[in-house]
Amino acid sequence: MVVKLYGQVTAVCPQRVLLCFLEKGIEFEIFHIDLDTLEQKKPEHLLRQPFGQVPAIEDGDFKLFESRAIARYYATKYADQGTNLLGKSLEHRAIVDQWADVENQSFNALAHPIVLNLIIKPKLGEKCDTVLVEELKVKLGVVLDIYENRLASNRFLAGEEFTMADLTHMPAMAYLMSITDINQMVKARESINRWWEEITARPAWKKLMELAGRH
């Protein structure tokens, strides 16, 4: 059965789910929710996602929202199909979960407001909080140093194989890489830069960028 995904293909959270689908070889259909016109806040979408955000999915009678929960669900449901995103042992899975949690709590907590201020607000004609952005960049540098240390001795965040720990970072990281000084921060860190170049060379990522109109 084809999974219905409601969202905007250029947005970070729908991209997290779509990248999981592409890595797992799951059939899906995208139902566009226009964030620029606040379609996500309209009553019809609020029935799918009561917080007025994207994405939400429908899989037959099963419905789910929150991108990380959706990605984990499908990575588990189709564990033996496509890329193994969860880890091959209990211990490996715990490390995958650890770095996926780091993405949510430490990386995204900085990446989201940076992207919001430097990319999204200007599109909406809203003022960027430049003081906040500079403070966030300093904090991001500290986080990137920790990642650099981890990736200096590991091919990927959870070890020697690409997993959900890496995948969940990619959509927001791509937006950060479009910001010149953050791009330079990443490239100045050899191991992170090597990791980023490898994971963005994956066929699933290239397909996602085609869907999003970003090459």
Side-chain angles (χ1 to χ4, degrees):
M1 185 175 291
V2 176
V3 181
K4 297 178 180 179
L5 181 139
Y6 295 86
Q8 185 168 303
V9 72
T10 56
V12 166
C13 291
Q15 285 188 355
R16 181 178 289 112
V17 174
L18 291 169
L19 187 54
C20 176
F21 288 169
L22 291 165
E23 286 283 354
K24 300 300 290 183
I26 297 167
E27 291 187 50
F28 60 88
E29 184 176 0
I30 300 168
F31 291 81
H32 181 68
I33 301 295
D34 194 332
L35 303 183
D36 293 336
T37 61
L38 299 180
E39 188 178 353
Q40 75 274 22
K41 303 296 184 183
K42 293 182 178 179
E44 183 180 359
H45 186 68
L46 291 173
L47 293 174
R48 303 184 198 100
Q49 217 291 8
F51 297 97
Q53 299 172 345
V54 291
I57 63 98
E58 293 179 1
D59 190 347
D61 294 330
F62 182 67
K63 300 177 182 181
L64 195 64
F65 59 87
E66 287 296 336
S67 64
R68 294 172 182 83
I70 297 169
R72 286 195 303 269
Y73 169 74
Y74 282 101
T76 305
K77 182 176 181 179
Y78 296 99
D80 297 327
Q81 175 178 314
T83 306
N84 181 341
L85 295 171
L86 299 176
K88 292 185 174 179
S89 68
L90 180 61
E91 290 75 18
H92 188 205
R93 182 164 184 163
I95 295 171
V96 171
D97 288 346
Q98 170 185 268
W99 284 97
D101 285 351
V102 168
E103 181 274 328
N104 192 11
Q105 300 297 324
S106 298
F107 176 81
N108 191 62
L110 301 173
H112 180 266
I114 291 173
V115 171
L116 178 67
N117 274 279
L118 293 182
I119 297 176
I120 297 173
K121 281 188 175 182
K123 283 178 59 179
L124 300 175
E126 298 178 12
K127 187 177 179 181
C128 166
D129 187 338
T130 54
V131 174
L132 174 63
V133 168
E134 291 308 310
E135 292 174 354
L136 292 170
K137 286 179 183 177
V138 172
K139 293 178 180 178
L140 179 63
V142 174
V143 171
L144 291 179
D145 285 341
I146 294 170
Y147 279 51
E148 176 69 12
N149 184 58
R150 173 66 179 174
L151 291 165
S153 56
N154 292 272
R155 183 178 174 188
F156 300 103
L157 285 169
E160 296 308 302
E161 296 172 351
F162 178 86
T163 66
M164 188 68 73
D166 308 289
L167 181 152
T168 194
H169 285 82
M170 293 177 71
M173 185 74 169
Y175 275 100
L176 289 179
M177 291 296 285
S178 71
I179 300 166
T180 301
D181 51 350
I182 296 179
N183 183 294
Q184 292 171 348
M185 288 169 65
V186 170
K187 289 186 174 178
R189 292 165 171 84
E190 182 180 352
S191 297
I192 298 179
N193 190 52
R194 182 266 310 155
W195 167 77
W196 181 244
E197 289 184 353
E198 181 169 1
I199 62 178
T200 54
R202 296 180 67 82
W205 178 257
K206 291 181 178 181
K207 179 63 177 176
L208 177 61
M209 291 299 96
E210 289 175 8
L211 289 173
R214 295 166 63 193
H215 303 285

